[in-house]
Amino acid sequence: MKKIAVIGAGVMGRGIAYTAALHNFDVILQDINESALQNAQTQMQADLNKSIQKGFAEETDRELLERISYTTSLEEAGTNADLVIEAVLEDMALKIDVFKRLDEICPSHTILATNTSTMSPTEIGAQTKRAHQTIAMHFFNPVPRMKLVEIVRGLDTSDETYESVKQAALQMGKEVVEVNEFPGFVTSRMNCLIGNEAMNMLMEGVASAEDIDKALKLGLNHPMGPLELADLVGLDSRLRNMQYLYETLGEKYRPCPLLIKYVKAGRLGRKSGQGFYNYNK
């Protein structure tokens, strides 16, 4: 496996492309929005500069980053890929549309992976003619620093597909866990519960956002508070995940009313400048 196409140049997509390139894959990053591609390229170069300054990367890594190519064409991205990793919005209809198109474009050997944090690779794969080559690779934000990839088998995912994807993740310097598909997988089910309860406590006036996060970091040894993390992920993305888990797993995943209110107000976290914290100061 040498050539990886990443579909979607948002935070996760560019993180996956950056990580793959720095671990010797040839990468093509696709997005329908030219400005998103330009922003991704600028941000990846800035991230590499910071890593070099801090001693986490070498000057020679600039040559690896130059191996990333950029396109707005899904056809160009998929035509020669050994592995395609989709990183578009957490919207099942959108993902299925992307996978149907990739199924027609990609060579017969190409594996199609979704970076979804909650949704069904079985449902996605069933809409293609290669369900046995469809799988989920759930990376974590920020991708270059987070060690884990959850590899989630769909009902028809073959052992060969799993092993190929596992080796690709290991080559990217990641640790992997194998998960049999169920809504939310392992991490998202736990993370959404913890975050939702933190939001409920904030809404009820139990403590401030700062003190809730501090309590979990110092008392439970979490590296990041649940409200800080929700702001980093994006409150709109978290709400979509919660709504999906509520629909599939029931009442305990009902989204906190405060989360719904913040999304309606456009307080989406870091990307909008305000969420549970104000980033415009």
Side-chain angles (χ1 to χ4, degrees):
M1 191 175 290
K2 297 179 180 178
K3 297 182 180 179
I4 294 179
V6 180
I7 311 303
V11 172
M12 293 304 296
R14 75 174 183 240
I16 295 167
Y18 177 95
T19 302
L22 291 186
H23 288 84
N24 296 298
F25 287 99
D26 291 323
V27 180
I28 183 166
L29 179 60
Q30 185 273 344
D31 198 287
I32 59 173
N33 191 328
E34 182 68 43
S35 64
L37 292 171
Q38 293 172 352
N39 179 66
Q41 185 173 12
T42 299
Q43 189 60 54
M44 284 189 284
Q45 290 170 345
D47 290 344
L48 182 58
N49 287 338
K50 289 179 183 176
S51 293
I52 291 171
Q53 290 169 5
K54 293 179 179 179
F56 299 135
E58 304 291 338
E59 281 289 341
T60 53
D61 289 334
R62 295 188 191 281
E63 298 174 9
L64 294 174
L65 205 59
E66 290 172 0
R67 291 166 62 176
I68 302 176
S69 57
Y70 304 85
T71 183
T72 57
S73 167
L74 197 65
E75 288 74 15
E76 184 179 352
T79 299
N80 296 309
D82 300 312
L83 169 65
V84 179
I85 304 174
E86 164 272 311
V88 303
L89 287 175
E90 286 288 85
D91 180 284
M92 181 58 83
L94 175 59
K95 290 181 184 295
I96 286 174
D97 179 64
V98 169
F99 271 72
K100 282 182 174 180
R101 292 172 63 194
L102 288 169
D103 189 34
E104 297 298 324
I105 295 165
C106 294
S108 60
H109 75 276
T110 304
I111 293 171
L112 303 182
T114 173
N115 181 51
T116 183
S117 57
T118 57
M119 294 183 176
S120 167
T122 297
E123 182 176 354
I124 294 169
Q127 308 305 313
T128 74
K129 299 180 181 68
R130 59 179 90 195
H132 63 295
Q133 291 166 248
T134 302
I135 199 164
M137 294 181 76
H138 179 205
F139 291 81
F140 294 80
N141 187 29
V143 177
R145 296 205 300 269
M146 297 295 282
K147 279 291 187 181
L148 182 65
V149 175
E150 279 185 303
I151 302 179
V152 186
R153 290 175 177 263
L155 183 64
D156 296 313
T157 302
S158 69
D159 290 342
E160 182 180 3
T161 295
Y162 170 78
E163 288 298 331
S164 294
V165 165
K166 177 181 177 181
Q167 290 305 313
L170 293 175
Q171 185 175 327
M172 290 185 211
K174 303 303 183 185
E175 299 282 348
V176 303
V177 292
E178 180 181 357
V179 181
N180 292 313
E181 181 194 317
F182 206 79
F185 315 147
V186 173
T187 55
S188 292
R189 283 182 68 175
M190 294 300 298
N191 194 37
C192 283
L193 274 180
I194 293 168
N196 208 50
E197 189 61 22
M199 294 171 201
N200 282 320
M201 287 193 291
L202 179 64
M203 182 178 67
E204 293 160 4
V206 173
S208 67
E210 292 84 354
D211 283 346
I212 290 170
D213 281 344
K214 185 177 181 179
L216 268 73
K217 286 188 286 187
L218 300 183
L220 299 181
N221 206 28
H222 288 206
M224 193 174 195
L227 301 176
E228 293 176 283
L229 181 58
D231 273 357
L232 178 64
V233 169
L235 301 190
D236 52 341
S237 296
R238 175 59 61 87
L239 179 57
R240 282 191 293 269
N241 288 344
M242 290 300 307
Q243 288 169 331
Y244 178 76
L245 292 174
Y246 176 51
E247 292 169 3
T248 54
L249 296 178
E251 185 63 29
K252 64 183 176 180
Y253 289 95
R254 180 188 292 272
C256 174
L258 187 61
L259 174 62
I260 297 171
K261 184 184 293 187
Y262 275 26
V263 172
K264 286 180 177 178
R267 296 186 181 186
L268 307 181
R270 287 182 178 271
K271 62 185 174 184
S272 71
Q274 188 172 9
F276 293 106
Y277 295 89
N278 187 345
Y279 301 95
N280 292 318
K281 295 179 180 178

